[in-house]
């Protein structure tokens, strides 16, 4: 009996080594998708560098060089994706999207900088956006940092208060009796409707904006947490009580874990709402942030800066949602296969 675990371990350890050895022995083969993606980026580089421009764009050569580097690197990287681990898996998955991105850049470059089919400066070419990222990064980076600080502060406050309120309402009938009418009356109001009152009541535009972001986050988190706690199977509580569980155990070890899928739905909805409120609040109140940068760029007709801010906003929101999903997958790993969103 003592030899069984050892032999099992040996077999389990030998299979990955064998797989790795076979993969190492396999010669890299250029894939059609990698070649197509590389060709698309090379076409972008050639069109950007070779065709005359309808304007003066100082970063045309830099943009063409970057496209050329990507175009030359993609085919061999795609061929070696089997040896690059998780990076190679991601590269193989996203290669079609990389080709589509190159074609989109190529169309954008042709209809703006090369043929002038769209009016300038309302529709700047890609190299003008690149110029903003390279030359205006101190102001843009400071705006990103301030937006993140404001968003995270308000979001964490709203999520914590909303979670506590949702658990209290879902668990206690007395709390639900008093809180339910208030939520139904005040909750549906959009957070931006409180803008005039918030900037009047709070001592600074920063604290008023934090309150608005927390308000936009708190309502969906409260409602979804309340729904999750109220929807936990009553049999779980009966079994726990039969085994002598205390009220604190019932809340913390039965109700809250059972409600977590709903809680994460509320956190997801609250993140989207808080981001919308953040941009509006920064446009009206604070002196730095992506919303402020967007309004500043519009006021100076710096449309390339405006598009750069929009791109950063999209990347920031997408990154935060991806981070939230990663936390959800880790926290709810015990419900793997049940959570479908």
């Amino acid at each position: 009996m003592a030899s069984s675990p050892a032999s099992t371990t040996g077999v389990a350890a030998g299979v990955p080594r064998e797989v790795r050895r076979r993969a190492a022995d396999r010669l890299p083969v250029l894939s059609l998708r990698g070649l197509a993606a590389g060709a698309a980026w090379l076409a972008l580089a050639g069109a950007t560098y070779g065709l005359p421009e309808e304007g003066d764009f100082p970063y045309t050569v830099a943009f063409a060089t970057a496209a050329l580097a990507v175009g030359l690197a993609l085919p061999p990287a795609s061929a070696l994706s089997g040896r690059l681990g998780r990076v190679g898996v991601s590269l193989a998955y996203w290669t079609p999207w990389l080709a589509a991105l190159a074609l989109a850049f190529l169309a954008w470059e042709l209809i703006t900088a090369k043929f002038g089919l769209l009016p300038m400066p309302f529709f700047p070419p890609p190299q003008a956006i690149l110029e903003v990222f390279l030359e205006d990064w101190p102001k843009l980076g400071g705006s990103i940092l301030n937006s993140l600080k404001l968003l995270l502060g308000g979001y964490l406050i709203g999520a914590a208060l909303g979670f506590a309120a949702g658990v209290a309402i879902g668990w206690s009938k007395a709390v639900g009796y008093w809180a339910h009418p208030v939520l139904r009356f005040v909750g549906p109001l959009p957070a931006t409707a409180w803008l005039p009152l918030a900037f009047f009541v709070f001592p600074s535009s920063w604290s008023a904006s934090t309150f608005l972001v927390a308000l936009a986050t708190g309502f969906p988190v409260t409602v979804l947490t309340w729904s999750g706690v109220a929807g936990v199977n009553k049999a779980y509580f009966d079994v726990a009580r039969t085994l002598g569980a205390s009220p604190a155990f019932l809340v913390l070890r039965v109700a809250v874990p059972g409600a977590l899928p709903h809680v994460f739905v509320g956190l997801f909805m609250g993140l989207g709402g808080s981001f919308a409120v953040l941009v509006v609040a920064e446009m009206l109140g604070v002196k730095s942030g992506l919303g402020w940068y967007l309004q500043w760029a519009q006021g100076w007709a710096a449309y390339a800066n405006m598009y750069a801010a929009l791109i950063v906003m999209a990347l920031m929101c997408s990154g935060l949602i991806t981070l939230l999903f990663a936390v959800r997958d880790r926290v709810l790993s015990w419900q793997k296969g049940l959570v479908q969103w």
Side-chain angles (χ1 to χ4, degrees):
M1 293 298 291
S3 62
S4 180
S7 60
T8 304
T9 304
V11 171
V15 172
R17 282 200 298 270
E18 182 66 19
V19 171
R20 285 197 298 270
R21 187 185 63 78
R22 290 178 180 176
D25 293 341
R26 192 180 302 128
L27 292 176
V29 179
L30 292 175
S31 68
L32 185 60
R33 293 196 301 181
L35 289 173
W41 283 95
L42 291 178
L44 171 63
T48 303
Y49 189 75
L51 295 178
E53 294 183 339
E54 298 285 334
D56 183 19
F57 305 108
Y59 282 86
T60 295
V61 175
F63 181 66
T65 304
L68 177 65
V70 176
L72 292 176
L74 265 178
S78 178
L80 295 171
S81 60
R83 302 182 180 184
L84 298 178
R86 297 179 64 179
V87 175
V89 174
S90 298
L91 178 63
Y93 180 80
W94 290 109
T95 296
W97 268 105
L98 289 174
L101 182 64
L103 295 177
F105 273 130
L106 179 59
W108 183 5
E109 177 72 17
L110 292 177
I111 63 177
T112 54
K114 303 307 179 188
F115 300 141
L117 299 179
L118 294 176
M120 291 288 293
F122 303 105
F123 298 98
Q127 53 265 45
I129 309 293
L130 178 63
E131 180 182 356
V132 173
F133 283 122
L134 294 178
E135 293 197 352
D136 203 32
W137 64 267
K139 185 183 292 182
L140 189 56
S143 297
I144 295 170
L145 184 62
N146 287 325
S147 287
L148 278 175
K149 287 163 61 179
L150 181 59
L151 178 68
L152 291 180
Y155 182 76
L156 292 178
I157 293 173
L161 294 178
F163 176 76
V167 172
I169 296 171
W171 181 255
S172 169
K173 290 183 179 179
V175 176
Y177 173 79
W178 292 104
H180 189 197
V182 177
L183 279 178
R184 293 193 62 175
F185 183 70
V186 178
L189 281 175
T192 49
W194 296 90
L195 256 170
L197 185 61
F199 282 105
F200 175 73
V201 171
F202 285 88
S204 65
S205 57
W206 183 272
S207 56
S209 301
T210 302
F211 165 75
L212 292 172
V213 172
L215 188 64
T217 306
F219 178 66
V221 174
T222 301
V223 172
L224 269 300
T225 303
W226 165 24
S227 172
V229 172
V232 175
N233 193 335
K234 304 303 179 190
Y236 297 160
F237 297 109
D238 294 337
V239 172
R241 286 193 185 95
T242 303
L243 297 174
S246 64
F249 185 94
L250 293 177
V251 173
L252 299 176
R253 305 300 296 271
V254 180
V256 169
L260 279 180
H262 287 75
V263 174
F264 275 98
V265 175
L267 291 173
F268 171 73
M269 295 176 64
L271 183 60
S274 65
F275 201 80
V277 171
L278 169 77
V279 175
V280 175
E282 285 180 340
M283 284 182 171
L284 298 179
V286 300
K287 301 300 181 185
S288 180
L290 287 175
W292 170 85
Y293 187 91
L294 194 65
Q295 194 177 37
W296 168 83
Q298 184 186 13
W300 286 95
Y303 291 97
N305 298 64
M306 194 179 70
Y307 287 116
L310 289 174
I311 292 171
V312 169
M313 284 182 185
L315 292 175
M316 195 170 96
C317 194
S318 176
L320 291 175
I321 290 176
T322 302
L323 179 63
L324 179 63
F325 280 179
V327 173
R328 177 207 63 180
D329 293 341
R330 189 170 186 84
V331 173
L332 298 182
S333 58
W334 54 280
Q335 286 197 338
K336 189 176 182 180
L338 297 178
V339 181
Q340 300 295 332
W341 63 276

